[in-house]
């Protein structure tokens, strides 16, 4: 860093970030994190609380000093139990740039591997270059393939939602 310039990103050490399954009490915080991204499709607060109860084993929360600062929500596909479908990934603005999102995805995949999960799916809108880079990096780090195919067109949604491409890792 140049003299006289201060970092705008807090210097949270990588080992200060802990990963765990979400708990019901985390639901409101996950909703707040998602809302503050100004990018994610925001679900109801009820949905996040319910997710923390019903899909805790296939989701993950990143914490710093016991406070959630990021999350990944996912579920196992009923017709493909070896696949975790990642619904949302979000990290607090003051924690971005520390590879927390990628580390959460790796931790989730590592946790689910003993249960036979060896594939990850997610949908990404074509203009979301940050998410495309995140998932491409995870595939590269795991030395595995990533594929993309069209999944949902704007006509599949009742509102002005963008198209969503399906990315598959593994």
């Amino acid at each position: 860093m140049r003299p006289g310039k201060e970092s705008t990103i807090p210097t949270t050490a990588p080992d200060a970030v802990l990963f765990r399954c979400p708990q019901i009490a985390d639901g409101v915080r996950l909703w707040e994190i998602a809302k503050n991204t100004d990018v994610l499709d925001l679900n109801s607060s009820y949905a996040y609380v319910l997710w923390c109860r019903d899909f805790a084993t296939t989701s993950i929360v990143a914490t710093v000093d016991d406070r959630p600062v990021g999350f990944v929500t996912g579920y196992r596909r009923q017709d493909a139990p070896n696949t975790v479908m990642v619904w949302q990934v979000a990290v607090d603005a003051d924690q971005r740039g520390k590879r927390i999102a990628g580390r959460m995805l790796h931790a989730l995949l590592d946790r689910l591997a003993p249960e036979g999960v060896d594939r990850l799916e997610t949908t990404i809108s074509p203009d979301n270059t940050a998410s495309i880079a995140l998932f491409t990096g995870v595939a590269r780090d795991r030395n595995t393939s990533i594929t993309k195919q069209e999944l949902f067109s704007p006509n599949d949604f009742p509102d002005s939602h963008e198209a969503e491409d399906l990315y598959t890792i593994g």
Side-chain angles (χ1 to χ4, degrees):
M1 183 181 328
R2 291 183 298 165
K5 296 285 182 186
E6 294 182 24
S7 172
T8 58
I9 298 175
T11 57
T12 305
D15 57 354
V17 180
L18 302 177
F19 303 104
R20 61 170 171 77
C21 291
Q23 303 163 358
I24 290 172
D26 296 325
V28 171
R29 181 72 184 117
L30 272 55
W31 178 84
E32 291 171 347
I33 294 169
K35 180 180 178 210
N36 291 338
T37 68
D38 295 323
V39 175
L40 289 179
D41 291 337
L42 186 63
N43 299 295
S44 69
S45 59
Y46 175 81
Y48 291 93
V49 172
L50 192 63
W51 204 283
C52 289
R53 185 193 79 159
D54 291 348
F55 298 105
T57 61
T58 53
S59 299
I60 198 160
V61 172
T63 64
V64 173
D65 297 328
D66 294 323
R67 177 177 167 77
V69 297
F71 69 87
V72 172
T73 52
Y75 61 90
R76 286 177 77 171
R77 300 243 339 256
Q78 289 184 343
D79 62 341
N82 69 320
T83 302
V84 62
M85 172 64 186
V86 169
W87 182 265
Q88 288 186 320
V89 178
V91 177
D92 266 342
D94 68 350
Q95 296 295 320
R96 291 185 197 141
K98 300 176 185 179
R99 302 200 62 206
I100 292 173
R103 291 169 54 207
M104 286 189 295
L105 289 167
H106 284 296
L108 180 61
L109 286 167
D110 291 345
R111 181 186 342 131
L112 295 174
E115 298 176 25
V117 173
D118 59 6
R119 288 171 38 122
L120 178 151
E121 290 183 345
T122 194
T123 61
I124 306 173
S125 58
D127 66 344
N128 189 339
T129 57
S131 287
I132 294 167
L134 169 65
F135 286 94
T136 301
V138 168
R140 182 185 58 247
D141 292 346
R142 297 183 85 79
N143 197 30
T144 193
S145 64
I146 185 167
T147 61
K148 176 186 105 168
Q149 66 186 52
E150 292 180 7
L151 184 62
F152 301 125
S153 77
N155 295 333
D156 291 322
F157 301 100
D159 54 12
S160 60
H161 199 288
E162 294 179 88
E164 292 278 340
D165 293 327
L166 177 67
Y167 285 79
T168 303
I169 295 174

